[in-house]
Amino acid sequence: MDVSLDRLRDDIEANAAFGATGDTARTNLTGSDANRDARDHLVERMEDAGLDVRVDAVGNIAGRWVPESADPDAPAVASGSHLDSVPNGGIFDGPLGVYGALEAVRALQGGDADLARPVEVVSFTEEEGASFAPGLLGSSVATGERDPETALAYEHDGRTLDDALDAIGYRGDGVLDASAWDAWVELHIEQGTRLESAGADVGVVTDITGITHCDAVVEGQADHAGATPMDARTDALAAASEFVLDVEDAATDAAAEDGTAVGTVGSLNVSPNATNVVPGRVELGVDIRDVKYDTMDDIVAAARDSLDRLEAERGVDTSLSRPFDVPPAPMADRVREAAADAVAENDLSSLALHSGAAHDTMHVARVTDAGLLFAPSEGGFSHSPREWTDWSDCRDAVLALAGTVERLAGR
Ligand SMILES: [Zn+2]
C-alpha cells in the first residue's frame, strides 16, 4: 500500500507548529487559538482528501470516506485519536493517530482495495483533560457514557467548554455515535520502552488496564509529641505507614502472578501535620491498575484487610471508599487479528502488549469492536519535549494501521 511518509510528516510537522513551545514541543489546549488552528488544518486536509467532515456538539471531528465499492449504509470502520496536548507536550501523542488514520485513507484511495464499508477519520475533543477535566471527554460523549450537556458545562479559566468551543467555531450539532461503527482502531505512541527493548516495529495492544482509585482514612488521636508516652499513643501516621507497605506488598504479589498489576499509594494528607504533634488523622489516595478486574478487586480487598488489621493491632479507626472505578478493556480479537495480518504482510515485527495508560479506545471498546496499535517511543518519553518517534517508525506503524483498516473494511 502506498503510505506516504512525506504527506504524513508534513501533516504532523504542520500540526506541531500550532502552539509550538520548541522544535518538538507544543501546548495545544482545548478551546485555545492553537487548538482552533490545529482543527482548521485537519478539516482542510480531510477535505483535500475528499472526506465529508462533520463536527458534533462537543467538537469531535469526523471525516467520512465512502469508497466506490462500499455500501454507503454499511456501518463504518473508524480510526483516529486526538489533537489536544498537555502543556509543553510532545508532537506525536495524539496527532500520529489522527494523521495516521488520514494517511491510511489516502493510501487506500490510491490503491485497489475492494472495500465494503465507509471509513471515518476521527479526532476526539479533550483527550488529555489538561483544561476541561477529567480527560477522554470527547470519546466519553461519543460512547454515551457522559451526556453532551454535562460535558459542555465543564469549566476552565471561568469559561465553559460550550463557550470555548463556540469561540473557536467548533461547537457543532448532534453527537458522534461510536456504537454505530462496525469497528474502531487507534494508533498511538507507546509512551514506554517495551517496543524499543524488544526491537519491535509495532505494538498490538491486548488490553487497556482498568483503574481504581480508593480513598482511605486512618483516624488516631492527636497528642503532645513530648508529653505522651509511647505506650499511650494512637499514631495515625505510624498506622498509615504500615498500610502503604501492605498495598505495595499486595500489588507486588499480584504482579508476580500476572506481570501487569500495579498499586500505588500516591497521596497522603496528615493532620495536623506538625512536627511536635502525634498525627491524629491521615487520608491516603490509592491507585490500582490491572488488565484483570478480579486482580484489582483482590488488591482492594488486601487494602481493606490491612485496615482491619490496623484497627485490631493499633486501635485506629479506618474507612475505605472506592470513588473511581473503570474496568479493564480487552481489545477485540478480530481487530487484533487484522492488525497481526497487516503487520505480517508488510514484513514488520510486532509485540503483543497491554496498555497501562488510558486512551479514548478504552471508552470505544465498550460499544464496538476496538483495537489499539502502538508505535515505538524513543526512550519511552512522553508528555514532554523529549517525546520522539523516528519517522521510519511512524511510517511502519501507519502501514500496519492502513492494512488493519483495509481488512476491517474489506469483504
Ligand atoms: Zn494521547
Side-chain angles (χ1 to χ4, degrees):
M1 208 174 328
D2 196 13
V3 163
S4 161
L5 177 57
D6 284 346
R7 276 190 307 221
L8 177 72
R9 183 173 172 166
D10 281 353
D11 284 338
I12 292 175
E13 287 182 342
N15 182 77
F18 306 125
T21 50
D23 285 347
T24 59
R26 65 191 180 112
T27 298
N28 201 306
L29 303 181
T30 303
S32 65
D33 288 351
N35 192 234
R36 177 199 57 217
D37 294 346
R39 288 164 175 270
D40 286 351
H41 186 262
L42 173 64
V43 169
E44 198 181 305
R45 298 299 281 143
M46 282 177 163
E47 288 175 347
D48 287 348
L51 273 56
D52 189 10
V53 180
R54 63 193 197 280
V55 178
D56 82 357
V58 296
N60 291 323
I61 299 171
R64 181 180 173 87
W65 172 51
V66 183
E68 266 180 35
S69 54
D71 170 5
D73 296 324
V77 170
S79 178
S81 192
H82 61 96
L83 291 180
D84 62 305
S85 78
V86 297
N88 206 29
I91 67 170
F92 297 96
D93 177 356
L96 175 63
V98 174
Y99 283 105
L102 180 58
E103 180 52 31
V105 163
R106 290 184 297 224
L108 287 166
Q109 288 173 335
D112 53 6
D114 182 26
L115 302 182
R117 299 178 178 283
V119 179
E120 298 200 0
V121 177
V122 175
S123 173
F124 285 121
T125 292
E126 190 59 281
E127 191 270 352
E128 298 288 4
S131 10
F132 297 91
L136 307 183
L137 195 62
S139 56
S140 76
V141 173
T143 53
E145 286 180 45
R146 188 174 276 115
D147 58 68
E149 294 74 25
T150 306
L152 288 166
Y154 284 119
E155 287 188 23
H156 173 64
D157 271 353
R159 227 172 30 149
T160 61
L161 178 64
D162 200 343
D163 290 340
L165 289 172
D166 197 41
I168 61 167
Y170 282 90
R171 166 68 167 88
D173 299 311
V175 169
L176 203 61
D177 180 8
S179 71
W181 296 332
D182 180 68
W184 160 265
V185 57
E186 176 176 6
L187 168 63
H188 202 277
I189 54 167
E190 183 197 345
Q191 305 174 294
T193 55
R194 288 170 296 172
L195 291 176
E196 194 176 60
S197 304
D201 301 315
V202 183
V204 179
V205 172
T206 55
D207 311 78
I208 302 177
T209 62
I211 307 175
T212 278
H213 284 174
C214 294
D215 292 335
V217 178
V218 178
E219 197 94 46
Q221 176 68 48
D223 272 312
H224 195 293
T228 315
M230 295 309 289
D231 60 2
R233 298 175 176 211
T234 311
D235 184 329
L237 181 56
S241 306
E242 291 193 35
F243 175 76
V244 172
L245 298 177
D246 285 349
V247 170
E248 186 188 43
D249 279 349
T252 303
D253 290 348
E257 293 245 325
D258 73 0
T260 48
V262 288
T264 308
V265 178
S267 76
L268 227 69
N269 197 346
V270 182
S271 305
N273 207 25
T275 304
N276 59 356
V277 182
V278 177
R281 176 185 167 96
V282 181
E283 297 163 359
L284 304 99
V286 188
D287 178 300
I288 295 163
R289 306 184 191 214
D290 197 24
V291 297
K292 294 196 195 85
Y293 199 49
D294 285 352
T295 306
M296 292 166 61
D297 283 342
D298 290 346
I299 299 172
V300 174
R304 284 190 203 282
D305 289 347
S306 168
L307 294 176
D308 289 346
R309 179 178 72 77
L310 293 167
E311 289 202 1
E313 293 179 4
R314 285 182 167 269
V316 289
D317 287 327
T318 69
S319 66
L320 186 87
S321 59
R322 193 171 174 174
F324 179 78
D325 190 47
V326 180
M331 299 295 97
D333 287 344
R334 72 179 180 98
V335 180
R336 289 173 55 191
E337 283 160 15
D341 288 351
V343 164
E345 186 191 57
N346 288 290
D347 291 324
L348 301 170
S349 60
S350 70
L351 182 71
L353 75 186
H354 78 284
S355 172
H359 294 287
D360 288 314
T361 295
M362 196 166 167
H363 284 314
V364 180
R366 310 215 190 285
V367 298
T368 192
D369 288 346
L372 178 60
L373 304 181
F374 280 161
S377 292
E378 204 173 284
F381 300 111
S382 185
H383 285 189
S384 119
R386 299 175 76 182
E387 177 181 294
W388 188 256
T389 297
D390 276 337
W391 292 110
S392 63
D393 287 334
C394 291
R395 185 203 50 225
D396 288 348
V398 173
L399 269 170
L401 177 68
T404 306
V405 171
E406 179 185 6
R407 281 160 179 77
L408 293 172
R411 292 179 197 282

